[in-house]
Amino acid sequence: MSTTPMPFIPLHDLARPRNPEELSTVALDQAHAPTKVLAHEEMVRKFAAGEEIRPIHMRIGIMGACNMRCNFCNFHSPNEENFYDLFSFKDAIQTASAIKLMGEFAATGGRAVTFCGSGECTIHPGYKDICYAAHEQGLRVGLITNGSRLSRADLAECIAKTHTWVRIGLNAGTEETFNEITRDRDGTFATFRDTPGKLREAAVDPDFRIGFNFVITLQNYREIDRAARLALESGAHYVRFEPEFYSGMGHETIEDVMAEVSAALDAAAALSNDSFEVSVPKLDRGPMDQVENVEGDFERCHYSRFVTAVGADGHLYPCPQVHLNSRYRIGNVLEEGYQQVLEGGKRAEWEEQNPRRTDLCKSCFYRPQNELLEWLKHGRIQLDEALDSYRVEVPATLHADFV
């Protein structure tokens, strides 16, 4: 690989995903900016120098069960039976074990935890206790949820006191379509009209943000504009769109209507203002595996040095995109301890067996971060110049610890 420095390119342009010219321009909200690793100068300098660093952000699924059955969900799809071969509805991390793990992660320099995963974390009987414990350990808390429990008083109080952000699965612009897609039986869609505003008003964290995520499918793409308007009127900070994705299919499920999708996203983006963001995604990412084409100008997964993932099976994985796949399973942090798996040889052994990401995941959700890190490591862009540019372009990083 060439080590000739690149000519200066604004970081905003360097690390931004791009769509083909005929499709919508990618526009990411502040919370999902791919350059946030540069907010951690000491870590980035150590990384570029080849020194060991520990992840500061953990993505964790504490249970496999879910109270919805979204028809685009990878974990319920026959297209994913080979990829997510370790997925089980029965998996769950016990409350005491999760609390212990929060302490171990914080003790190794962890700063933030996102509850997400294959199931719905808020239906875990110990979710509130785990969040209070994580918060007491000094961890900032994020949540990706289907939203079905957010209007419950005890959970709303926990979120207001302990969470930094919440992202809710919207996935429709009408209740009828929402119920068809999710098979929801709890009247969840109706709560979306005021729950975000109430949580936003009650939140203790001054950086608290709440928004919606909308997975674009053939069933809901005609409701993109209605969903964006609902999000705006609800008091949410943003709505984030992303295309349906299966690891072996890429985004081909909506290829035939991509022009209509793009036009709808352009209309939704026009609703953006100083207090509401519309996030427009990369629409044409290819399949993740079982293909020859490799997307992205990087050979190794560097992002997993900053962010790690734990599945509901208790095992460490390099990335939430590939958790619950046996090829990526590193070690059981509940049985062996988080730091022991991270630094006791398990992770090094896994990386030795799987040295290049191009042999495993061909496309990558974190491609901009990985390209930026690889170019920094190999001197294709100058570290000091990148850090100086970031300070100018981003004087204050929103949710910096959620890299």
Side-chain angles (χ1 to χ4, degrees), residues 24-98:
S24 301
T25 300
V26 174
L28 302 180
D29 58 280
Q30 292 182 66
H32 296 95
T35 55
K36 285 201 289 186
V37 292
L38 294 174
H40 304 278
E41 180 173 339
E42 183 179 354
M43 286 188 72
V44 173
R45 288 192 181 281
K46 286 183 176 180
F47 165 79
E51 299 176 26
E52 283 297 315
I53 57 174
R54 293 169 172 169
I56 60 171
H57 180 196
M58 176 183 287
R59 300 279 297 270
I60 183 171
I62 53 177
M63 67 187 312
C66 184
N67 58 332
M68 292 187 186
R69 289 292 182 273
C70 300
N71 58 18
F72 57 78
C73 179
N74 287 3
F75 298 100
H76 300 288
S77 169
N79 297 307
E80 302 292 7
E81 289 176 351
N82 292 327
F83 192 82
Y84 295 107
D85 58 320
L86 299 177
F87 169 71
S88 172
F89 295 109
K90 298 179 181 180
D91 279 340
I93 299 177
Q94 296 299 310
T95 301
S97 297

Coordinates of all heavy atoms in Angstrom, one line a residue, residues 24-98:
S24 N -30.0 10.3 -4.0 CA -29.9 11.4 -3.0 C -28.5 11.5 -2.4 O -27.8 10.5 -2.3 CB -30.9 11.0 -1.9 OG -32.2 10.9 -2.3
T25 N -28.2 12.7 -2.1 CA -26.9 13.0 -1.4 C -27.0 12.5 0.0 O -28.0 12.8 0.7 CB -26.6 14.5 -1.4 OG1 -26.5 15.0 -2.8 CG2 -25.3 14.8 -0.7
V26 N -26.0 11.8 0.4 CA -25.9 11.3 1.8 C -25.8 12.5 2.8 O -25.0 13.4 2.6 CB -24.7 10.3 2.0 CG1 -24.6 9.9 3.5 CG2 -24.9 9.1 1.1
A27 N -26.6 12.4 3.8 CA -26.6 13.5 4.8 C -26.8 12.8 6.2 O -27.9 12.4 6.5 CB -27.7 14.5 4.6
L28 N -25.7 12.7 6.9 CA -25.8 12.1 8.2 C -26.0 13.1 9.3 O -25.5 14.2 9.3 CB -24.5 11.3 8.5 CG -24.1 10.3 7.5 CD1 -22.8 9.6 7.9 CD2 -25.2 9.2 7.3
D29 N -26.8 12.7 10.3 CA -27.1 13.6 11.5 C -25.8 13.6 12.3 O -24.9 12.7 12.2 CB -28.3 13.1 12.3 CG -28.1 11.7 12.8 OD1 -28.4 10.7 12.0 OD2 -27.8 11.5 13.9
Q30 N -25.7 14.6 13.2 CA -24.5 14.8 14.0 C -24.1 13.5 14.8 O -22.9 13.2 14.9 CB -24.7 15.9 15.0 CG -24.8 17.3 14.4 CD -25.0 18.3 15.5 OE1 -24.1 18.6 16.3 NE2 -26.2 18.9 15.6
A31 N -25.1 12.9 15.4 CA -24.8 11.7 16.3 C -24.2 10.6 15.6 O -23.5 9.7 16.2 CB -26.1 11.3 17.0
H32 N -24.3 10.5 14.2 CA -23.8 9.4 13.5 C -22.6 9.8 12.6 O -22.4 9.1 11.6 CB -24.9 8.7 12.7 CG -26.0 8.1 13.5 ND1 -27.1 8.7 13.9 CD2 -26.0 6.9 14.2 CE1 -27.9 8.0 14.6 NE2 -27.2 6.9 14.9
A33 N -22.0 10.9 12.9 CA -20.8 11.3 12.1 C -19.7 10.3 12.1 O -19.3 9.9 13.2 CB -20.3 12.7 12.6
P34 N -19.2 9.8 11.0 CA -18.1 8.8 11.0 C -16.7 9.3 11.4 O -15.8 8.5 11.5 CB -18.1 8.3 9.5 CG -18.7 9.5 8.7 CD -19.6 10.2 9.6
T35 N -16.6 10.6 11.6 CA -15.2 11.1 11.9 C -15.0 11.2 13.4 O -14.0 11.7 13.9 CB -15.0 12.5 11.3 OG1 -16.1 13.4 11.7 CG2 -15.0 12.4 9.8
K36 N -16.0 10.8 14.2 CA -15.9 11.0 15.7 C -14.7 10.4 16.4 O -14.4 10.8 17.5 CB -17.2 10.5 16.3 CG -18.4 11.4 16.1 CD -19.5 11.2 17.2 CE -20.2 9.9 17.0 NZ -21.4 9.8 17.9
V37 N -14.1 9.4 15.7 CA -12.9 8.8 16.3 C -11.8 9.9 16.5 O -11.0 9.8 17.5 CB -12.3 7.7 15.5 CG1 -13.2 6.5 15.5 CG2 -12.0 8.1 14.1
L38 N -11.8 10.9 15.7 CA -10.8 12.0 15.8 C -11.0 12.9 17.0 O -10.2 13.7 17.3 CB -10.8 12.8 14.5 CG -10.4 12.1 13.3 CD1 -10.5 12.9 12.0 CD2 -8.9 11.6 13.4
A39 N -12.2 12.7 17.7 CA -12.4 13.5 18.9 C -11.5 12.9 20.1 O -11.4 13.5 21.1 CB -13.9 13.4 19.3
H40 N -10.9 11.7 19.8 CA -10.2 11.0 20.9 C -8.7 11.0 20.4 O -8.2 10.0 20.0 CB -10.7 9.6 21.1 CG -12.2 9.6 21.4 ND1 -12.6 9.8 22.7 CD2 -13.3 9.4 20.6 CE1 -13.9 9.7 22.7 NE2 -14.3 9.5 21.5
E41 N -8.0 12.2 20.6 CA -6.7 12.4 20.0 C -5.7 11.4 20.6 O -4.9 10.8 19.8 CB -6.2 13.8 20.3 CG -4.8 14.1 19.7 CD -4.4 15.5 19.8 OE1 -5.3 16.4 20.0 OE2 -3.2 15.8 19.8
E42 N -5.7 11.2 21.9 CA -4.7 10.3 22.5 C -4.9 8.9 22.0 O -3.9 8.2 21.6 CB -4.9 10.3 24.0 CG -3.8 9.4 24.7 CD -4.0 9.5 26.2 OE1 -4.8 10.2 26.7 OE2 -3.2 8.7 26.9
M43 N -6.1 8.4 21.9 CA -6.4 7.0 21.3 C -5.9 6.9 19.9 O -5.3 5.9 19.5 CB -7.9 6.7 21.4 CG -8.4 6.4 22.8 SD -10.1 5.8 22.7 CE -9.8 4.1 22.1
V44 N -6.2 7.9 19.1 CA -5.9 7.8 17.7 C -4.4 7.9 17.5 O -3.9 7.1 16.6 CB -6.6 9.0 16.9 CG1 -6.1 9.1 15.5 CG2 -8.1 8.8 16.9
R45 N -3.7 8.7 18.3 CA -2.2 8.7 18.2 C -1.6 7.3 18.5 O -0.7 6.8 17.9 CB -1.7 9.8 19.1 CG -1.9 11.2 18.5 CD -1.1 12.2 19.3 NE -1.4 13.6 18.8 CZ -0.9 14.1 17.7 NH1 -0.1 13.4 17.0 NH2 -1.2 15.3 17.3
K46 N -2.1 6.7 19.6 CA -1.6 5.4 20.0 C -2.0 4.4 18.9 O -1.1 3.5 18.5 CB -2.3 4.9 21.3 CG -1.8 5.7 22.5 CD -2.4 5.1 23.8 CE -1.8 5.8 25.0 NZ -2.4 5.2 26.3
F47 N -3.2 4.4 18.3 CA -3.5 3.5 17.3 C -2.6 3.7 16.1 O -2.1 2.7 15.5 CB -5.0 3.8 16.8 CG -5.4 3.2 15.5 CD1 -5.7 1.8 15.4 CD2 -5.4 4.0 14.4 CE1 -6.0 1.3 14.2 CE2 -5.7 3.4 13.1 CZ -6.0 2.0 13.1
A48 N -2.4 4.9 15.6 CA -1.5 5.2 14.5 C -0.1 4.7 14.7 O 0.6 4.3 13.8 CB -1.6 6.6 14.1
A49 N 0.3 4.7 16.0 CA 1.7 4.3 16.3 C 1.8 2.8 16.5 O 2.9 2.3 16.8 CB 2.2 5.0 17.6
G50 N 0.7 2.1 16.4 CA 0.7 0.6 16.6 C 0.6 0.2 18.0 O 0.9 -1.0 18.3
E51 N 0.3 1.1 18.9 CA 0.1 0.7 20.3 C -1.2 0.2 20.6 O -2.2 0.5 19.9 CB 0.4 2.0 21.2 CG 1.8 2.6 21.0 CD 2.0 3.8 21.9 OE1 1.3 4.0 22.9 OE2 2.8 4.7 21.5
E52 N -1.3 -0.6 21.7 CA -2.6 -1.2 22.1 C -3.6 -0.1 22.7 O -3.1 0.8 23.4 CB -2.4 -2.3 23.1 CG -1.9 -3.6 22.5 CD -2.9 -4.2 21.5 OE1 -4.1 -4.2 21.8 OE2 -2.4 -4.6 20.4
I53 N -4.8 -0.2 22.3 CA -5.9 0.7 22.9 C -7.0 -0.2 23.2 O -7.2 -1.3 22.7 CB -6.3 1.8 21.9 CG1 -6.8 1.2 20.6 CG2 -5.2 2.8 21.7 CD1 -7.4 2.2 19.7
R54 N -7.8 0.2 24.2 CA -9.0 -0.6 24.6 C -10.3 0.1 24.1 O -10.3 1.3 24.1 CB -9.1 -0.7 26.1 CG -8.0 -1.5 26.7 CD -8.0 -1.3 28.2 NE -7.1 -2.2 28.9 CZ -6.7 -2.1 30.2 NH1 -7.2 -1.1 30.9 NH2 -5.9 -3.0 30.7
P55 N -11.3 -0.6 23.7 CA -12.5 0.0 23.2 C -13.2 0.8 24.3 O -13.1 0.5 25.5 CB -13.4 -1.3 22.9 CG -12.5 -2.4 22.6 CD -11.3 -2.1 23.6
I56 N -13.7 1.9 23.8 CA -14.4 2.8 24.8 C -15.9 2.7 24.6 O -16.7 3.3 25.5 CB -14.0 4.3 24.6 CG1 -14.3 4.8 23.2 CG2 -12.5 4.4 25.0 CD1 -14.0 6.3 23.0
H57 N -16.4 2.1 23.6 CA -17.9 1.9 23.4 C -18.2 0.5 23.2 O -17.6 -0.2 22.4 CB -18.2 2.7 22.1 CG -19.7 2.7 21.7 ND1 -20.1 3.1 20.5 CD2 -20.8 2.3 22.4 CE1 -21.4 3.0 20.5 NE2 -21.9 2.5 21.6
M58 N -19.2 0.0 24.0 CA -19.7 -1.4 23.8 C -21.1 -1.4 23.3 O -22.0 -0.7 23.8 CB -19.6 -2.1 25.2 CG -20.2 -3.5 25.2 SD -20.3 -4.3 26.8 CE -18.5 -4.6 27.0
R59 N -21.3 -2.2 22.3 CA -22.6 -2.4 21.8 C -23.1 -3.8 22.3 O -22.4 -4.8 22.1 CB -22.6 -2.4 20.2 CG -22.2 -1.1 19.6 CD -23.3 -0.1 19.5 NE -24.4 -0.6 18.7 CZ -24.5 -0.3 17.4 NH1 -23.6 0.3 16.8 NH2 -25.6 -0.8 16.7
I60 N -24.2 -3.9 23.0 CA -24.6 -5.2 23.6 C -26.0 -5.5 23.5 O -26.9 -4.6 23.6 CB -24.2 -5.1 25.1 CG1 -24.5 -6.5 25.8 CG2 -24.9 -4.0 25.9 CD1 -24.0 -6.6 27.2
G61 N -26.3 -6.7 23.2 CA -27.7 -7.2 23.2 C -27.8 -8.1 24.4 O -27.2 -9.2 24.5
I62 N -28.7 -7.8 25.3 CA -28.8 -8.6 26.5 C -29.9 -9.7 26.4 O -30.0 -10.5 27.3 CB -29.2 -7.6 27.7 CG1 -30.4 -6.8 27.4 CG2 -27.9 -6.8 28.1 CD1 -30.8 -5.9 28.6
M63 N -30.6 -9.7 25.3 CA -31.5 -10.9 25.1 C -31.9 -11.0 23.6 O -31.8 -10.1 22.8 CB -32.8 -10.7 25.9 CG -33.7 -9.6 25.5 SD -35.0 -9.4 26.7 CE -35.6 -11.0 26.9
G64 N -32.2 -12.3 23.3 CA -32.6 -12.6 21.9 C -34.0 -12.4 21.6 O -34.4 -12.3 20.4
A65 N -34.9 -12.5 22.6 CA -36.3 -12.4 22.5 C -36.7 -11.0 22.1 O -36.1 -10.0 22.4 CB -37.0 -12.8 23.7
C66 N -37.9 -10.9 21.3 CA -38.4 -9.6 21.0 C -39.9 -9.7 21.0 O -40.5 -10.8 20.7 CB -37.9 -9.2 19.6 SG -38.5 -7.6 19.0
N67 N -40.6 -8.6 21.3 CA -42.1 -8.7 21.3 C -42.7 -8.2 20.0 O -43.9 -8.0 19.9 CB -42.6 -7.8 22.5 CG -42.1 -6.3 22.4 OD1 -41.0 -6.1 21.8 ND2 -42.9 -5.4 22.9
M68 N -41.9 -8.0 19.0 CA -42.4 -7.7 17.6 C -41.7 -8.7 16.7 O -40.8 -9.4 17.0 CB -42.0 -6.3 17.2 CG -42.8 -5.2 17.9 SD -42.5 -3.6 17.2 CE -43.3 -2.5 18.4
R69 N -42.3 -8.8 15.5 CA -41.7 -9.7 14.5 C -41.6 -8.9 13.1 O -42.4 -9.2 12.2 CB -42.6 -10.9 14.3 CG -42.6 -11.9 15.4 CD -41.2 -12.6 15.5 NE -41.2 -13.6 16.6 CZ -40.8 -13.3 17.8 NH1 -40.5 -12.0 18.2 NH2 -40.8 -14.2 18.8
C70 N -40.8 -7.9 13.1 CA -40.6 -7.1 11.9 C -40.2 -7.9 10.7 O -39.3 -8.8 10.8 CB -39.6 -6.0 12.2 SG -40.0 -4.9 13.5
N71 N -40.9 -7.8 9.6 CA -40.7 -8.6 8.5 C -39.4 -8.3 7.7 O -39.0 -9.1 6.8 CB -41.9 -8.7 7.5 CG -42.2 -7.3 7.0 OD1 -41.4 -6.4 7.0 ND2 -43.5 -7.1 6.5
F72 N -38.7 -7.3 8.1 CA -37.4 -7.0 7.5 C -36.2 -7.4 8.4 O -35.0 -7.3 8.1 CB -37.2 -5.5 7.1 CG -37.4 -4.6 8.3 CD1 -36.4 -4.5 9.3 CD2 -38.6 -4.0 8.5 CE1 -36.6 -3.6 10.3 CE2 -38.8 -3.1 9.6 CZ -37.7 -3.0 10.5
C73 N -36.5 -8.0 9.6 CA -35.5 -8.3 10.6 C -34.6 -9.4 10.1 O -35.0 -10.5 9.8 CB -36.1 -8.6 11.9 SG -35.0 -9.1 13.2
N74 N -33.3 -9.1 10.1 CA -32.3 -10.1 9.7 C -32.4 -11.4 10.5 O -32.2 -12.5 10.0 CB -30.9 -9.6 9.8 CG -30.6 -8.5 8.8 OD1 -31.4 -8.2 8.0 ND2 -29.3 -8.1 8.8
F75 N -32.7 -11.3 11.8 CA -32.7 -12.5 12.6 C -33.9 -13.4 12.5 O -33.9 -14.5 13.0 CB -32.5 -12.0 14.1 CG -31.3 -11.3 14.4 CD1 -31.3 -9.9 14.4 CD2 -30.1 -11.9 14.5 CE1 -30.1 -9.2 14.6 CE2 -28.9 -11.2 14.7 CZ -28.9 -9.8 14.8
H76 N -34.9 -12.9 11.8 CA -36.1 -13.7 11.5 C -36.1 -14.2 10.0 O -37.1 -14.8 9.6 CB -37.3 -13.0 11.8 CG -37.4 -12.6 13.3 ND1 -37.7 -13.4 14.3 CD2 -37.3 -11.3 13.8 CE1 -37.7 -12.8 15.4 NE2 -37.5 -11.5 15.2
S77 N -35.1 -13.8 9.2 CA -35.2 -14.0 7.8 C -34.6 -15.3 7.4 O -33.5 -15.7 7.9 CB -34.5 -12.9 7.1 OG -34.3 -13.2 5.7
P78 N -35.2 -16.1 6.5 CA -34.6 -17.3 6.0 C -33.3 -17.0 5.2 O -32.4 -17.9 5.0 CB -35.6 -17.9 5.1 CG -36.6 -16.8 4.7 CD -36.6 -15.9 5.9
N79 N -33.1 -15.7 4.7 CA -31.9 -15.3 4.0 C -30.7 -15.3 5.0 O -29.6 -15.3 4.5 CB -32.1 -13.9 3.4 CG -33.2 -13.9 2.4 OD1 -33.2 -14.7 1.5 ND2 -34.1 -13.0 2.6
E80 N -30.9 -15.3 6.3 CA -29.8 -15.1 7.2 C -29.6 -16.4 8.1 O -28.8 -16.3 9.0 CB -30.1 -13.9 8.1 CG -30.4 -12.6 7.4 CD -29.1 -12.1 6.8 OE1 -28.1 -12.8 6.7 OE2 -29.2 -11.0 6.2
E81 N -30.2 -17.5 7.8 CA -30.1 -18.6 8.6 C -28.6 -19.1 8.7 O -28.2 -19.7 9.7 CB -31.0 -19.8 8.1 CG -32.4 -19.5 8.4 CD -33.3 -20.6 7.8 OE1 -32.8 -21.4 7.1 OE2 -34.5 -20.5 8.1
N82 N -27.9 -18.9 7.6 CA -26.5 -19.4 7.6 C -25.6 -18.3 8.2 O -24.5 -18.7 8.8 CB -26.0 -19.6 6.2 CG -26.6 -20.9 5.6 OD1 -27.0 -21.8 6.3 ND2 -26.9 -20.8 4.3
F83 N -25.9 -17.0 8.1 CA -25.0 -16.0 8.6 C -25.2 -15.9 10.1 O -24.2 -16.0 10.8 CB -25.4 -14.6 7.9 CG -24.3 -13.6 8.2 CD1 -23.1 -13.6 7.5 CD2 -24.5 -12.7 9.2 CE1 -22.1 -12.6 7.7 CE2 -23.5 -11.8 9.5 CZ -22.3 -11.7 8.8
Y84 N -26.4 -15.7 10.6 CA -26.5 -15.5 12.1 C -26.8 -16.9 12.7 O -27.9 -17.2 13.2 CB -27.7 -14.5 12.4 CG -27.3 -13.1 11.9 CD1 -27.9 -12.6 10.8 CD2 -26.4 -12.4 12.6 CE1 -27.6 -11.3 10.4 CE2 -26.0 -11.1 12.2 CZ -26.7 -10.5 11.1 OH -26.3 -9.3 10.7
D85 N -25.9 -17.8 12.5 CA -26.1 -19.2 12.9 C -26.1 -19.4 14.4 O -26.5 -20.5 14.8 CB -25.0 -20.1 12.2 CG -23.6 -19.7 12.6 OD1 -23.3 -18.5 12.7 OD2 -22.7 -20.6 12.8
L86 N -25.7 -18.4 15.2 CA -25.7 -18.6 16.6 C -26.9 -17.9 17.3 O -27.0 -17.9 18.5 CB -24.4 -18.0 17.2 CG -23.1 -18.7 16.8 CD1 -21.9 -18.0 17.4 CD2 -23.1 -20.2 17.1
F87 N -27.8 -17.3 16.5 CA -28.9 -16.6 17.1 C -29.9 -17.6 17.7 O -30.2 -18.6 17.2 CB -29.7 -15.8 16.0 CG -31.0 -15.3 16.4 CD1 -31.0 -14.2 17.3 CD2 -32.2 -15.8 16.0 CE1 -32.2 -13.7 17.8 CE2 -33.4 -15.3 16.4 CZ -33.4 -14.3 17.3
S88 N -30.4 -17.2 18.9 CA -31.4 -17.9 19.6 C -32.3 -17.0 20.4 O -31.9 -16.1 21.1 CB -30.8 -18.9 20.6 OG -31.8 -19.5 21.4
F89 N -33.6 -17.2 20.2 CA -34.6 -16.4 21.0 C -34.4 -16.6 22.5 O -34.8 -15.8 23.3 CB -36.0 -16.8 20.7 CG -36.4 -16.5 19.3 CD1 -36.6 -17.6 18.3 CD2 -36.7 -15.2 18.8 CE1 -37.0 -17.3 17.0 CE2 -37.1 -15.0 17.6 CZ -37.2 -16.0 16.6
K90 N -33.8 -17.7 22.9 CA -33.7 -18.1 24.3 C -32.5 -17.5 25.0 O -32.5 -17.5 26.2 CB -33.7 -19.6 24.4 CG -34.9 -20.3 23.9 CD -34.8 -21.9 24.0 CE -36.0 -22.6 23.5 NZ -35.8 -24.1 23.6
D91 N -31.6 -16.9 24.2 CA -30.4 -16.3 24.8 C -30.8 -15.1 25.6 O -31.6 -14.3 25.2 CB -29.4 -15.9 23.8 CG -28.6 -17.1 23.3 OD1 -28.5 -18.1 24.1 OD2 -28.0 -17.0 22.2
A92 N -30.2 -15.0 26.8 CA -30.4 -13.7 27.6 C -29.2 -13.7 28.6 O -28.8 -14.7 29.2 CB -31.7 -13.8 28.3
I93 N -28.7 -12.5 28.9 CA -27.7 -12.3 29.9 C -28.4 -11.9 31.2 O -29.2 -11.0 31.3 CB -26.8 -11.1 29.5 CG1 -26.0 -11.5 28.2 CG2 -25.7 -10.9 30.6 CD1 -25.1 -10.4 27.7
Q94 N -28.2 -12.7 32.2 CA -28.8 -12.5 33.5 C -28.4 -11.1 34.0 O -27.3 -10.5 33.8 CB -28.4 -13.5 34.5 CG -28.8 -14.9 34.1 CD -30.4 -15.1 34.0 OE1 -31.1 -14.6 34.9 NE2 -30.8 -15.6 32.9
T95 N -29.4 -10.5 34.8 CA -29.2 -9.1 35.3 C -27.9 -9.0 36.0 O -27.1 -8.0 35.8 CB -30.4 -8.7 36.2 OG1 -31.6 -8.8 35.4 CG2 -30.2 -7.3 36.7
A96 N -27.6 -9.9 37.0 CA -26.4 -9.7 37.8 C -25.1 -9.8 36.9 O -24.1 -9.1 37.1 CB -26.3 -10.8 38.9
S97 N -25.2 -10.7 35.9 CA -24.0 -10.8 35.0 C -23.8 -9.6 34.1 O -22.7 -9.2 33.9 CB -24.2 -12.1 34.1 OG -24.3 -13.3 34.8
A98 N -24.9 -9.0 33.7 CA -24.8 -7.8 32.9 C -24.3 -6.6 33.7 O -23.4 -5.8 33.2 CB -26.2 -7.4 32.3

